[in-house]
Amino acid sequence: VFTAHSIPTSMAATSPYVDQLRQACGWVAGDLGIDGFDLVWQSRSGPPQVPWLEPDVADFLASIPTDRPVLLVPIGFVSDHMEVVWDLDHEAAAVAERRGITLRRARTPQDHPAFAALVADLLQERLDPTRPRPVRGGGAPWPDRCAPECCPAPRR
């Protein structure tokens, strides 16, 4: 079960955020030989009348069979900051414990040498515009910056 920061549905409707996350989840799942996955959301904030992406990770855990073990993968986060620790290690863990669900959380990359090398490689890639940009899973790489028409203001 992959997790990422929720955003208002009006923002999600005008940006590639969800598609980019699903693509990244698919790459990771595919590399692990996993056919299916769930993408859930965390860290919702703001007024309750504003709809945000769902399901929330705690709601998802409250709705699944109790015999289903869960590995939470915070794909939308690069470090174990407060939102990851609170939302997953405290709130989600409490729901899983109350329901008797076996729950584990994957580590975020944080300062792992492979992650640091990836960031350095991406920076080198941007500094040398003649360097070919790798593409995974077919299609063109996502642009570094959104085109002006890419992410219009959310509809209200």
Side-chain angles (χ1 to χ4, degrees), residues 60-97:
F60 175 82
L61 291 171
S63 72
I64 63 170
T66 56
D67 63 345
R68 177 181 172 187
V70 174
L71 172 64
L72 292 177
V73 181
I75 196 161
F77 300 89
V78 298
S79 67
D80 286 351
H81 57 75
M82 196 60 196
E83 286 175 300
V84 172
V85 172
W86 181 257
D87 293 347
L88 303 183
D89 298 346
H90 292 281
E91 289 185 334
V95 172
E97 184 175 351

Side-chain angles (χ1 to χ4, degrees), residues 4-134:
H5 202 295
S6 187
I7 61 173
T9 56
S10 60
M11 290 176 67
T14 62
S15 78
Y17 181 70
V18 174
D19 290 338
Q20 290 172 337
L21 282 163
R22 286 197 189 286
Q23 186 177 45
C25 295
W27 288 337
V28 173
D31 283 354
L32 295 173
I34 298 169
D35 292 329
F37 60 84
D38 291 293
L39 174 59
V40 301
W41 308 98
Q42 64 181 85
S43 306
R44 185 209 189 286
S45 62
Q49 67 271 21
V50 175
W52 282 52
L53 295 173
E54 294 180 343
D56 176 79
V57 62
D59 295 337
F60 175 82
L61 291 171
S63 72
I64 63 170
T66 56
D67 63 345
R68 177 181 172 187
V70 174
L71 172 64
L72 292 177
V73 181
I75 196 161
F77 300 89
V78 298
S79 67
D80 286 351
H81 57 75
M82 196 60 196
E83 286 175 300
V84 172
V85 172
W86 181 257
D87 293 347
L88 303 183
D89 298 346
H90 292 281
E91 289 185 334
V95 172
E97 184 175 351
R98 275 194 309 274
R99 298 204 61 230
I101 295 171
T102 301
L103 179 72
R104 299 288 183 268
R105 178 175 67 85
R107 294 178 52 181
T108 55
Q110 301 204 128
D111 59 354
H112 191 282
F115 181 68
L118 167 74
V119 171
D121 190 49
L122 288 171
L123 289 171
Q124 282 299 112
E125 198 176 278
R126 292 342 180 252
L127 293 173
D128 181 1
T130 63
R131 185 174 169 187
R133 295 181 64 190

